Coordinates of all heavy atoms in Angstrom, one line a residue:
M17 N -44.8 -31.2 18.1 CA -43.4 -31.7 18.2 C -43.0 -31.6 19.7 O -42.4 -32.6 20.2 CB -42.5 -30.8 17.4 CG -41.1 -31.3 17.4 SD -40.9 -33.0 16.7 CE -39.2 -33.3 17.0
K18 N -43.3 -30.5 20.4 CA -42.9 -30.4 21.8 C -43.6 -31.5 22.6 O -43.1 -32.0 23.6 CB -43.3 -29.0 22.3 CG -42.2 -28.0 22.1 CD -42.6 -26.7 22.8 CE -41.5 -25.6 22.5 NZ -42.0 -24.3 22.9
N19 N -44.9 -31.8 22.3 CA -45.6 -32.8 23.0 C -45.0 -34.2 22.9 O -45.0 -35.0 23.8 CB -47.1 -32.8 22.6 CG -47.9 -31.7 23.2 OD1 -47.4 -31.0 24.1 ND2 -49.0 -31.4 22.6
I20 N -44.6 -34.4 21.6 CA -43.9 -35.7 21.4 C -42.6 -35.8 22.2 O -42.4 -36.9 22.9 CB -43.6 -35.9 19.9 CG1 -44.9 -36.0 19.1 CG2 -42.8 -37.1 19.7 CD1 -44.8 -35.9 17.6
L21 N -41.9 -34.8 22.2 CA -40.6 -34.8 23.0 C -40.9 -35.0 24.5 O -40.3 -35.7 25.2 CB -39.9 -33.5 22.8 CG -38.5 -33.3 23.4 CD1 -37.6 -34.4 22.9 CD2 -37.9 -32.0 23.2
L22 N -42.0 -34.3 25.0 CA -42.3 -34.4 26.4 C -42.7 -35.8 26.7 O -42.3 -36.4 27.7 CB -43.5 -33.4 26.7 CG -43.9 -33.3 28.2 CD1 -42.7 -32.7 29.0 CD2 -45.1 -32.4 28.3
A23 N -43.5 -36.4 25.9 CA -44.0 -37.8 26.1 C -42.8 -38.7 26.1 O -42.7 -39.6 26.9 CB -45.0 -38.2 25.0
L24 N -41.8 -38.5 25.3 CA -40.6 -39.3 25.2 C -39.8 -39.2 26.5 O -39.4 -40.2 27.1 CB -39.7 -38.8 24.0 CG -38.7 -39.8 23.5 CD1 -39.4 -41.0 22.9 CD2 -37.9 -39.1 22.4
L25 N -39.7 -37.9 27.0 CA -39.0 -37.7 28.3 C -39.7 -38.4 29.4 O -39.0 -39.0 30.3 CB -38.9 -36.2 28.5 CG -37.9 -35.4 27.6 CD1 -38.0 -33.9 27.8 CD2 -36.5 -35.9 27.8
V26 N -41.0 -38.3 29.4 CA -41.7 -39.0 30.5 C -41.6 -40.5 30.5 O -41.3 -41.1 31.5 CB -43.2 -38.6 30.5 CG1 -44.0 -39.4 31.5 CG2 -43.4 -37.1 30.8
T27 N -41.7 -41.0 29.3 CA -41.7 -42.5 29.2 C -40.3 -43.0 29.5 O -40.1 -44.2 29.8 CB -42.2 -43.0 27.9 OG1 -41.5 -42.3 26.8 CG2 -43.7 -42.8 27.7
T28 N -39.3 -42.2 29.2 CA -37.9 -42.7 29.5 C -37.5 -42.4 30.9 O -36.4 -42.7 31.3 CB -36.9 -42.0 28.5 OG1 -37.1 -40.6 28.5 CG2 -37.0 -42.5 27.1
G29 N -38.4 -41.8 31.7 CA -38.1 -41.7 33.1 C -37.3 -40.5 33.5 O -36.9 -40.4 34.7
L30 N -37.1 -39.6 32.6 CA -36.3 -38.4 33.0 C -37.0 -37.5 34.0 O -36.3 -36.8 34.8 CB -35.9 -37.6 31.8 CG -34.9 -38.3 30.9 CD1 -34.6 -37.4 29.6 CD2 -33.5 -38.6 31.6
F31 N -38.3 -37.6 34.0 CA -39.0 -36.8 35.0 C -39.5 -37.6 36.2 O -40.2 -37.0 37.0 CB -40.3 -36.1 34.3 CG -39.9 -35.1 33.3 CD1 -40.8 -34.7 32.3 CD2 -38.7 -34.4 33.3 CE1 -40.5 -33.7 31.4 CE2 -38.3 -33.4 32.4 CZ -39.3 -33.0 31.5
A32 N -39.2 -38.8 36.3 CA -39.6 -39.6 37.4 C -38.9 -39.2 38.7 O -37.8 -38.8 38.7 CB -39.3 -41.1 37.1
A33 N -39.7 -39.2 39.8 CA -39.1 -38.9 41.1 C -38.7 -40.1 41.8 O -39.1 -41.2 41.5 CB -40.2 -38.2 41.9
N34 N -37.7 -39.9 42.7 CA -37.3 -41.0 43.5 C -37.7 -40.8 45.0 O -37.6 -39.7 45.5 CB -35.7 -41.2 43.4 CG -35.2 -42.3 44.3 OD1 -35.7 -43.5 44.1 ND2 -34.3 -42.1 45.2
H35 N -38.2 -41.8 45.6 CA -38.7 -41.7 47.0 C -37.9 -42.6 47.8 O -37.7 -43.8 47.6 CB -40.2 -42.1 47.1 CG -41.1 -41.4 46.1 ND1 -41.8 -40.2 46.5 CD2 -41.3 -41.6 44.8 CE1 -42.4 -39.8 45.4 NE2 -42.2 -40.6 44.4
V36 N -37.3 -42.0 48.9 CA -36.4 -42.8 49.8 C -37.2 -43.4 51.0 O -37.9 -42.6 51.6 CB -35.2 -42.0 50.2 CG1 -34.4 -42.8 51.2 CG2 -34.4 -41.5 49.0
V37 N -37.1 -44.7 51.2 CA -37.8 -45.3 52.3 C -36.6 -46.0 53.1 O -36.0 -46.9 52.6 CB -38.8 -46.3 51.9 CG1 -39.4 -47.0 53.2 CG2 -40.0 -45.6 51.2
D38 N -36.5 -45.6 54.3 CA -35.4 -46.2 55.2 C -36.0 -47.4 55.9 O -37.2 -47.4 56.2 CB -34.8 -45.2 56.1 CG -33.5 -45.6 56.7 OD1 -33.0 -46.7 56.3 OD2 -32.9 -44.9 57.5
Q39 N -35.2 -48.3 56.3 CA -35.6 -49.4 57.2 C -34.7 -49.3 58.4 O -33.5 -49.5 58.3 CB -35.4 -50.8 56.5 CG -36.2 -50.8 55.2 CD -36.3 -52.3 54.7 OE1 -37.1 -53.0 55.1 NE2 -35.5 -52.6 53.7
K40 N -35.4 -48.9 59.5 CA -34.6 -48.5 60.7 C -35.5 -48.9 61.9 O -36.7 -48.6 62.0 CB -34.3 -47.0 60.7 CG -33.3 -46.6 61.8 CD -32.9 -45.2 61.6 CE -31.8 -44.8 62.6 NZ -31.5 -43.4 62.5
G41 N -34.9 -49.6 62.9 CA -35.7 -50.1 64.1 C -36.8 -51.0 63.7 O -37.9 -51.0 64.3
K42 N -36.6 -51.8 62.6 CA -37.6 -52.7 62.1 C -38.9 -52.0 61.7 O -40.0 -52.5 62.0 CB -37.9 -53.8 63.2 CG -36.7 -54.7 63.4 CD -37.1 -55.9 64.4 CE -35.9 -56.8 64.7 NZ -36.3 -57.9 65.6
T43 N -38.7 -50.8 61.1 CA -39.8 -50.0 60.7 C -39.5 -49.4 59.3 O -38.3 -49.0 59.1 CB -40.1 -48.9 61.7 OG1 -40.2 -49.4 63.0 CG2 -41.3 -48.1 61.3
F44 N -40.5 -49.3 58.5 CA -40.3 -48.5 57.2 C -40.5 -47.1 57.6 O -41.6 -46.7 58.2 CB -41.3 -49.0 56.2 CG -41.1 -50.3 55.5 CD1 -41.9 -51.4 55.8 CD2 -40.0 -50.5 54.7 CE1 -41.7 -52.6 55.2 CE2 -39.7 -51.7 54.1 CZ -40.6 -52.8 54.3
I45 N -39.6 -46.2 57.2 CA -39.7 -44.8 57.5 C -39.6 -44.0 56.2 O -38.5 -44.0 55.6 CB -38.6 -44.3 58.5 CG1 -38.7 -45.1 59.8 CG2 -38.7 -42.8 58.7 CD1 -37.5 -44.9 60.7
P46 N -40.6 -43.3 55.7 CA -42.0 -43.2 56.3 C -42.7 -44.5 56.1 O -42.3 -45.4 55.4 CB -42.6 -42.1 55.6 CG -42.0 -42.0 54.3 CD -40.6 -42.5 54.5
H47 N -43.9 -44.7 56.8 CA -44.6 -45.9 56.7 C -45.7 -45.8 55.6 O -46.4 -46.8 55.3 CB -45.2 -46.3 58.0 CG -46.2 -45.3 58.6 ND1 -47.5 -45.2 58.2 CD2 -45.9 -44.3 59.5 CE1 -48.0 -44.2 58.9 NE2 -47.1 -43.6 59.7
A48 N -45.8 -44.6 55.0 CA -46.8 -44.5 53.9 C -46.2 -43.4 52.9 O -45.7 -42.4 53.3 CB -48.2 -44.0 54.4
I49 N -46.3 -43.7 51.6 CA -45.8 -42.7 50.6 C -46.8 -42.6 49.4 O -47.5 -43.6 49.1 CB -44.4 -43.0 50.1 CG1 -44.4 -44.5 49.5 CG2 -43.4 -42.9 51.1 CD1 -43.1 -44.8 48.8
S50 N -46.8 -41.5 48.8 CA -47.6 -41.3 47.6 C -46.7 -41.0 46.5 O -45.8 -40.2 46.6 CB -48.6 -40.1 47.7 OG -49.6 -40.3 48.7
V51 N -46.8 -41.8 45.4 CA -45.9 -41.7 44.3 C -46.7 -41.6 43.0 O -47.9 -41.8 42.9 CB -45.0 -43.0 44.2 CG1 -44.3 -43.2 45.5 CG2 -45.8 -44.2 43.9
A52 N -46.0 -41.4 41.9 CA -46.6 -41.4 40.5 C -46.1 -42.7 39.8 O -45.0 -43.1 40.1 CB -46.2 -40.2 39.8
V53 N -46.9 -43.2 38.9 CA -46.5 -44.3 38.1 C -45.2 -43.9 37.4 O -45.1 -42.8 36.8 CB -47.6 -44.8 37.2 CG1 -47.1 -45.8 36.2 CG2 -48.8 -45.3 38.0
G54 N -44.2 -44.8 37.4 CA -42.9 -44.5 36.8 C -41.9 -44.0 37.8 O -40.7 -44.0 37.5
D55 N -42.3 -43.5 39.0 CA -41.4 -43.1 40.0 C -40.6 -44.3 40.5 O -41.0 -45.5 40.4 CB -42.1 -42.5 41.2 CG -42.6 -41.0 40.9 OD1 -42.3 -40.6 39.8 OD2 -43.2 -40.4 41.8
T56 N -39.5 -44.0 41.2 CA -38.8 -45.1 41.8 C -38.8 -45.0 43.3 O -39.0 -43.9 43.9 CB -37.3 -45.1 41.4 OG1 -36.8 -43.8 41.5 CG2 -37.2 -45.5 39.9
I57 N -38.6 -46.1 44.0 CA -38.5 -46.1 45.5 C -37.2 -46.7 45.8 O -36.8 -47.8 45.3 CB -39.6 -47.0 46.1 CG1 -41.0 -46.5 45.7 CG2 -39.5 -47.0 47.7 CD1 -42.1 -47.5 46.2
T58 N -36.4 -46.0 46.6 CA -35.1 -46.5 47.0 C -35.2 -47.0 48.4 O -35.6 -46.2 49.3 CB -34.0 -45.5 46.9 OG1 -33.8 -45.1 45.5 CG2 -32.7 -46.0 47.5
F59 N -35.0 -48.3 48.7 CA -35.0 -48.8 50.0 C -33.6 -48.8 50.6 O -32.7 -49.3 50.0 CB -35.6 -50.3 50.0 CG -37.0 -50.4 49.7 CD1 -37.4 -50.7 48.4 CD2 -38.0 -50.2 50.6 CE1 -38.8 -50.7 48.1 CE2 -39.3 -50.2 50.3 CZ -39.7 -50.5 49.0
K60 N -33.5 -48.1 51.7 CA -32.2 -48.1 52.5 C -32.4 -49.0 53.7 O -33.5 -49.4 54.1 CB -31.9 -46.7 53.0 CG -31.9 -45.6 51.9 CD -31.5 -44.2 52.4 CE -30.0 -44.1 52.7 NZ -29.3 -44.0 51.4
N61 N -31.2 -49.4 54.2 CA -31.2 -50.3 55.4 C -30.3 -49.7 56.4 O -29.1 -49.8 56.3 CB -30.9 -51.7 55.0 CG -30.9 -52.6 56.3 OD1 -31.2 -52.1 57.4 ND2 -30.6 -53.9 56.1
S62 N -30.8 -49.0 57.4 CA -30.0 -48.3 58.4 C -29.9 -49.2 59.7 O -29.3 -48.8 60.7 CB -30.6 -47.0 58.8 OG -30.5 -46.1 57.7
D63 N -30.4 -50.4 59.6 CA -30.3 -51.3 60.8 C -29.0 -52.2 60.6 O -28.5 -52.3 59.5 CB -31.5 -52.2 60.8 CG -32.7 -51.6 61.6 OD1 -32.4 -50.8 62.6 OD2 -33.8 -51.9 61.3
P64 N -28.5 -52.7 61.7 CA -27.3 -53.5 61.6 C -27.5 -55.0 61.2 O -26.7 -55.8 61.4 CB -26.7 -53.4 63.0 CG -27.9 -53.2 63.9 CD -28.9 -52.5 63.1
F65 N -28.7 -55.2 60.6 CA -29.1 -56.6 60.2 C -29.9 -56.5 58.9 O -30.3 -55.4 58.5 CB -29.9 -57.3 61.3 CG -30.9 -56.5 62.0 CD1 -32.2 -56.2 61.3 CD2 -30.7 -55.8 63.2 CE1 -33.1 -55.5 61.9 CE2 -31.7 -55.0 63.8 CZ -32.9 -54.8 63.2
A66 N -30.1 -57.7 58.3 CA -30.7 -57.7 57.0 C -32.2 -57.4 57.0 O -32.9 -57.7 58.0 CB -30.5 -59.1 56.3
H67 N -32.7 -56.8 56.0 CA -34.1 -56.6 55.8 C -34.5 -57.2 54.4 O -33.7 -57.7 53.7 CB -34.5 -55.1 55.8 CG -34.6 -54.6 57.2 ND1 -35.6 -55.1 58.1 CD2 -33.9 -53.6 57.9 CE1 -35.5 -54.4 59.3 NE2 -34.5 -53.6 59.2
N68 N -35.8 -56.9 54.1 CA -36.3 -57.3 52.8 C -37.5 -56.4 52.5 O -38.0 -55.7 53.4 CB -36.8 -58.8 52.8 CG -37.8 -59.2 51.7 OD1 -39.0 -59.2 51.8 ND2 -37.2 -59.4 50.5
A69 N -37.9 -56.3 51.2 CA -39.1 -55.5 50.9 C -39.7 -56.2 49.7 O -39.0 -56.6 48.7 CB -38.8 -54.1 50.6
Y70 N -41.0 -56.5 49.8 CA -41.7 -57.2 48.7 C -43.2 -56.8 48.8 O -43.7 -56.3 49.8 CB -41.6 -58.7 48.8 CG -42.5 -59.3 49.9 CD1 -43.8 -59.9 49.5 CD2 -42.2 -59.3 51.2 CE1 -44.6 -60.4 50.5 CE2 -43.0 -59.8 52.2 CZ -44.2 -60.4 51.8 OH -45.1 -60.9 52.8
T71 N -43.8 -56.9 47.6 CA -45.3 -56.8 47.6 C -45.8 -57.9 46.7 O -45.2 -58.4 45.8 CB -45.7 -55.4 47.0 OG1 -47.1 -55.4 47.0 CG2 -45.2 -55.2 45.6
D72 N -47.0 -58.3 47.1 CA -47.8 -59.3 46.4 C -48.7 -58.7 45.4 O -49.4 -59.4 44.7 CB -48.6 -60.2 47.3 CG -47.6 -61.2 48.1 OD1 -46.6 -61.5 47.5 OD2 -48.0 -61.6 49.2
D73 N -48.8 -57.3 45.4 CA -49.6 -56.6 44.4 C -49.3 -57.1 43.0 O -48.2 -57.0 42.6 CB -49.4 -55.1 44.6 CG -50.3 -54.3 43.6 OD1 -51.5 -54.2 43.9 OD2 -49.8 -53.8 42.6
E74 N -50.4 -57.5 42.3 CA -50.2 -58.2 41.0 C -49.5 -57.2 40.0 O -48.6 -57.6 39.2 CB -51.5 -58.7 40.4 CG -51.9 -60.0 41.0 CD -53.1 -60.6 40.4 OE1 -53.4 -60.2 39.2 OE2 -53.8 -61.4 41.0
A75 N -49.9 -56.0 40.0 CA -49.5 -55.0 39.0 C -48.1 -54.5 39.3 O -47.4 -54.0 38.4 CB -50.4 -53.9 38.8
N76 N -47.7 -54.5 40.5 CA -46.4 -53.9 41.0 C -45.5 -54.9 41.6 O -44.5 -54.5 42.3 CB -46.7 -52.7 41.9 CG -47.1 -51.5 41.2 OD1 -46.4 -50.9 40.4 ND2 -48.4 -51.1 41.4
E77 N -45.7 -56.2 41.4 CA -45.0 -57.2 42.2 C -43.5 -57.0 42.1 O -42.9 -56.8 41.0 CB -45.4 -58.6 41.6 CG -44.9 -59.7 42.5 CD -45.5 -61.1 42.0 OE1 -46.0 -61.1 40.9 OE2 -45.3 -62.0 42.7
F78 N -42.8 -57.0 43.3 CA -41.4 -57.1 43.3 C -40.9 -57.7 44.7 O -41.7 -57.9 45.6 CB -40.8 -55.7 43.2 CG -41.1 -54.7 44.3 CD1 -40.4 -54.8 45.5 CD2 -42.1 -53.8 44.2 CE1 -40.8 -53.9 46.6 CE2 -42.4 -52.9 45.2 CZ -41.7 -52.9 46.4
D79 N -39.7 -58.2 44.7 CA -39.1 -58.7 45.9 C -37.6 -58.5 45.8 O -37.0 -59.0 44.9 CB -39.4 -60.2 46.0 CG -38.9 -60.9 47.3 OD1 -38.0 -60.3 47.9 OD2 -39.4 -62.0 47.6
I80 N -37.1 -57.6 46.7 CA -35.7 -57.2 46.6 C -34.8 -58.2 47.2 O -33.6 -58.0 47.2 CB -35.5 -55.8 47.2 CG1 -35.6 -55.8 48.7 CG2 -36.4 -54.7 46.6 CD1 -35.2 -54.5 49.4
G81 N -35.3 -59.3 47.8 CA -34.5 -60.3 48.3 C -33.8 -59.9 49.6 O -34.3 -59.0 50.3
M82 N -32.7 -60.6 50.0 CA -32.0 -60.2 51.3 C -31.3 -59.0 51.1 O -30.4 -58.9 50.3 CB -31.1 -61.4 51.6 CG -30.4 -61.2 52.9 SD -31.4 -61.7 54.3 CE -31.2 -63.5 54.3
Q83 N -31.6 -57.9 51.9 CA -31.0 -56.6 51.8 C -30.1 -56.4 53.0 O -30.5 -56.2 54.1 CB -32.1 -55.5 51.7 CG -31.5 -54.1 51.6 CD -32.5 -53.1 51.7 OE1 -33.6 -53.3 52.2 NE2 -32.2 -51.9 51.2
S84 N -28.8 -56.4 52.7 CA -27.8 -56.3 53.8 C -27.8 -54.8 54.3 O -28.2 -53.9 53.6 CB -26.4 -56.7 53.3 OG -26.4 -58.0 52.9
P85 N -27.2 -54.6 55.5 CA -27.1 -53.3 56.0 C -26.4 -52.3 55.1 O -25.4 -52.8 54.4 CB -26.4 -53.5 57.3 CG -26.7 -54.9 57.7 CD -26.8 -55.6 56.5
K86 N -26.8 -51.1 55.0 CA -26.2 -50.0 54.2 C -26.2 -50.2 52.7 O -25.6 -49.5 51.9 CB -24.7 -49.9 54.6 CG -24.5 -49.5 56.1 CD -23.2 -48.9 56.4 CE -22.9 -48.6 57.8 NZ -24.1 -48.5 58.7
I87 N -27.0 -51.2 52.3 CA -27.2 -51.4 50.8 C -28.5 -50.8 50.4 O -29.5 -50.9 51.1 CB -27.2 -53.0 50.5 CG1 -25.9 -53.6 50.9 CG2 -27.5 -53.2 49.0 CD1 -24.7 -53.1 50.1
D88 N -28.4 -50.0 49.3 CA -29.6 -49.4 48.7 C -30.2 -50.3 47.6 O -29.4 -50.7 46.7 CB -29.3 -48.0 48.2 CG -29.0 -47.0 49.3 OD1 -29.1 -47.4 50.5 OD2 -28.7 -45.9 49.0
V89 N -31.5 -50.4 47.5 CA -32.1 -51.1 46.4 C -33.2 -50.3 45.8 O -34.1 -49.8 46.6 CB -32.6 -52.5 46.8 CG1 -33.2 -53.2 45.7 CG2 -31.5 -53.3 47.5
K90 N -33.3 -50.1 44.5 CA -34.3 -49.2 43.9 C -35.2 -50.1 43.1 O -34.8 -51.0 42.4 CB -33.5 -48.3 43.0 CG -34.4 -47.1 42.5 CD -33.7 -46.2 41.5 CE -32.9 -45.2 42.2 NZ -32.3 -44.1 41.3
V91 N -36.5 -49.8 43.2 CA -37.6 -50.4 42.4 C -38.4 -49.3 41.7 O -38.4 -48.2 42.2 CB -38.5 -51.3 43.3 CG1 -37.7 -52.4 44.0 CG2 -39.3 -50.5 44.3
T92 N -39.0 -49.7 40.6 CA -39.9 -48.8 39.9 C -41.3 -49.1 40.0 O -41.7 -50.3 40.0 CB -39.5 -48.8 38.4 OG1 -38.1 -48.5 38.2 CG2 -40.3 -47.9 37.5
V93 N -42.1 -48.1 40.3 CA -43.6 -48.3 40.4 C -44.2 -48.4 39.0 O -44.1 -47.4 38.3 CB -44.2 -47.1 41.2 CG1 -45.7 -47.3 41.3 CG2 -43.6 -47.1 42.6
K94 N -44.9 -49.5 38.8 CA -45.3 -49.7 37.4 C -46.8 -49.4 37.1 O -47.2 -49.1 36.0 CB -45.1 -51.2 37.0 CG -43.6 -51.6 37.1 CD -43.5 -53.1 36.7 CE -42.3 -53.8 37.4 NZ -42.7 -54.7 38.5
A95 N -47.6 -49.4 38.2 CA -49.1 -49.3 37.9 C -49.7 -48.5 39.1 O -49.2 -48.5 40.2 CB -49.7 -50.7 37.8
A96 N -50.8 -47.9 38.8 CA -51.6 -47.1 39.8 C -52.3 -48.0 40.7 O -52.6 -49.2 40.4 CB -52.6 -46.2 39.1
G97 N -52.5 -47.5 41.9 CA -53.2 -48.3 42.9 C -52.6 -48.1 44.3 O -51.6 -47.5 44.4
T98 N -53.2 -48.7 45.3 CA -52.6 -48.7 46.6 C -52.3 -50.1 47.0 O -53.0 -51.1 46.8 CB -53.7 -48.2 47.6 OG1 -54.0 -46.8 47.3 CG2 -53.1 -48.1 49.1
F99 N -51.0 -50.3 47.5 CA -50.6 -51.6 47.8 C -49.6 -51.6 49.0 O -49.1 -50.5 49.3 CB -49.9 -52.3 46.6 CG -48.7 -51.6 46.0 CD1 -47.4 -51.9 46.5 CD2 -48.9 -50.6 45.1 CE1 -46.3 -51.2 45.9 CE2 -47.8 -49.9 44.5 CZ -46.5 -50.2 45.0
N100 N -49.5 -52.7 49.7 CA -48.7 -52.8 50.9 C -47.3 -53.4 50.5 O -47.3 -54.3 49.7 CB -49.4 -53.7 51.9 CG -50.5 -53.0 52.6 OD1 -50.6 -51.8 52.6 ND2 -51.5 -53.8 53.0
V101 N -46.3 -52.9 51.1 CA -45.0 -53.5 51.0 C -44.6 -54.1 52.4 O -44.8 -53.4 53.4 CB -43.9 -52.5 50.5 CG1 -42.5 -53.1 50.6 CG2 -44.3 -52.0 49.2
E102 N -44.1 -55.3 52.4 CA -43.8 -55.9 53.7 C -42.3 -56.4 53.7 O -41.7 -56.5 52.6 CB -44.7 -57.0 54.0 CG -46.2 -56.6 54.2 CD -47.1 -57.8 54.3 OE1 -47.1 -58.5 55.3 OE2 -47.8 -58.0 53.3
C103 N -41.8 -56.7 54.9 CA -40.5 -57.3 55.0 C -40.7 -58.8 55.3 O -41.3 -59.1 56.3 CB -39.7 -56.6 56.1 SG -38.1 -57.5 56.5
A104 N -40.1 -59.6 54.5 CA -40.3 -61.1 54.7 C -39.6 -61.6 56.0 O -40.0 -62.6 56.5 CB -39.8 -61.8 53.5
I105 N -38.7 -60.8 56.5 CA -37.9 -61.2 57.7 C -38.6 -60.8 59.0 O -38.6 -61.5 60.0 CB -36.5 -60.7 57.6 CG1 -35.8 -61.2 56.3 CG2 -35.7 -61.1 58.9 CD1 -34.5 -60.4 56.0
H106 N -39.2 -59.6 58.9 CA -39.9 -59.0 60.1 C -41.4 -58.7 59.7 O -41.7 -57.7 59.1 CB -39.2 -57.7 60.5 CG -37.7 -57.9 60.7 ND1 -36.8 -57.4 59.8 CD2 -37.1 -58.5 61.7 CE1 -35.6 -57.7 60.2 NE2 -35.7 -58.4 61.3
P107 N -42.3 -59.7 60.0 CA -43.7 -59.6 59.5 C -44.4 -58.4 60.0 O -45.5 -58.1 59.4 CB -44.3 -60.9 60.0 CG -43.1 -61.8 60.4 CD -42.0 -60.9 60.7
N108 N -44.0 -57.7 61.0 CA -44.7 -56.5 61.5 C -44.4 -55.3 60.7 O -45.0 -54.2 60.9 CB -44.4 -56.3 63.0 CG -45.0 -57.4 63.9 OD1 -46.0 -58.0 63.5 ND2 -44.4 -57.6 65.0
M109 N -43.4 -55.3 59.8 CA -43.0 -54.1 59.1 C -44.0 -53.9 57.9 O -44.3 -54.8 57.2 CB -41.6 -54.2 58.5 CG -40.6 -54.2 59.6 SD -38.9 -54.5 58.9 CE -38.7 -53.0 57.9
L110 N -44.5 -52.7 57.8 CA -45.5 -52.4 56.8 C -45.3 -51.0 56.2 O -45.2 -50.0 56.9 CB -46.9 -52.5 57.4 CG -48.1 -52.4 56.4 CD1 -48.2 -53.5 55.4 CD2 -49.4 -52.3 57.2
L111 N -45.3 -51.0 54.9 CA -45.3 -49.7 54.1 C -46.5 -49.7 53.2 O -46.7 -50.6 52.5 CB -44.0 -49.6 53.3 CG -43.9 -48.5 52.2 CD1 -43.9 -47.1 52.8 CD2 -42.7 -48.8 51.3
E112 N -47.2 -48.6 53.2 CA -48.4 -48.4 52.3 C -48.0 -47.5 51.2 O -47.6 -46.3 51.4 CB -49.6 -47.9 53.0 CG -50.8 -47.9 52.0 CD -52.1 -47.4 52.7 OE1 -52.8 -48.2 53.3 OE2 -52.3 -46.1 52.7
V113 N -48.1 -47.9 49.9 CA -47.7 -47.1 48.8 C -49.0 -46.8 48.0 O -49.8 -47.7 47.6 CB -46.8 -47.8 47.8 CG1 -46.4 -47.0 46.6 CG2 -45.5 -48.2 48.6
T114 N -49.2 -45.5 47.8 CA -50.3 -45.1 46.9 C -49.8 -44.5 45.6 O -49.0 -43.5 45.7 CB -51.2 -44.0 47.6 OG1 -51.7 -44.5 48.9 CG2 -52.4 -43.6 46.8
A115 N -50.1 -45.2 44.5 CA -49.5 -44.8 43.2 C -50.6 -44.2 42.3 O -51.7 -44.8 42.2 CB -48.8 -46.0 42.6
K116 N -50.4 -43.0 41.8 CA -51.4 -42.4 40.9 C -50.8 -42.2 39.5 O -49.6 -42.0 39.3 CB -51.8 -41.0 41.5 CG -52.6 -41.2 42.7 CD -53.0 -39.9 43.4 CE -53.7 -40.1 44.7 NZ -53.8 -38.9 45.5
Ligands
CU201 CU1 -37.0 -56.3 58.1

């Protein structure tokens, strides 16, 4: 019974961690993170101009669109693997996510 309850809590995300990644000086800070499947990543924007964050990774594909300054956007990591997140506006920005 306890195991069933635990599984339920995990799948409903109550134990999921949130990882904050700031976008500042046209850089993802930090530039690499390790997460667990089911965790969330909150993208902040501390620059005075718009950013974006997207990945082409098939299992974790997302695109947060145009992210205005001071707006937070949260995404959920869906699958294990290592993938890159980039900013469509500033091609030199790179974040490496390792999901286990
Ligand atoms: Cu950017």
Side-chain angles (χ1 to χ4, degrees):
M17 186 62 184
K18 272 185 184 167
N19 285 343
I20 294 170
L21 185 61
L22 187 64
L24 200 65
L25 290 172
V26 169
T27 52
T28 50
L30 289 178
F31 289 162
N34 181 53
H35 307 264
V36 176
V37 174
D38 199 2
Q39 303 194 78
K40 193 173 185 183
K42 295 186 183 178
T43 306
F44 286 112
I45 303 171
H47 59 81
I49 56 173
S50 290
V51 306
V53 173
D55 285 359
T56 51
I57 304 170
T58 296
F59 290 98
K60 302 181 81 71
N61 181 359
S62 295
D63 274 330
F65 43 80
H67 279 297
N68 163 259
Y70 76 97
T71 180
D72 288 331
D73 182 72
E74 278 185 25
N76 282 295
E77 194 173 10
F78 65 80
D79 185 339
I80 69 169
M82 185 79 84
Q83 182 187 18
S84 298
K86 302 202 183 336
I87 299 296
D88 293 356
V89 182
K90 191 183 276 191
V91 300
T92 301
V93 178
K94 299 181 209 108
T98 299
F99 57 94
N100 290 333
V101 175
E102 296 171 72
C103 170
I105 301 165
H106 309 105
N108 290 334
M109 294 177 63
L110 184 65
L111 165 69
E112 185 180 272
V113 179
T114 303
K116 290 176 183 167

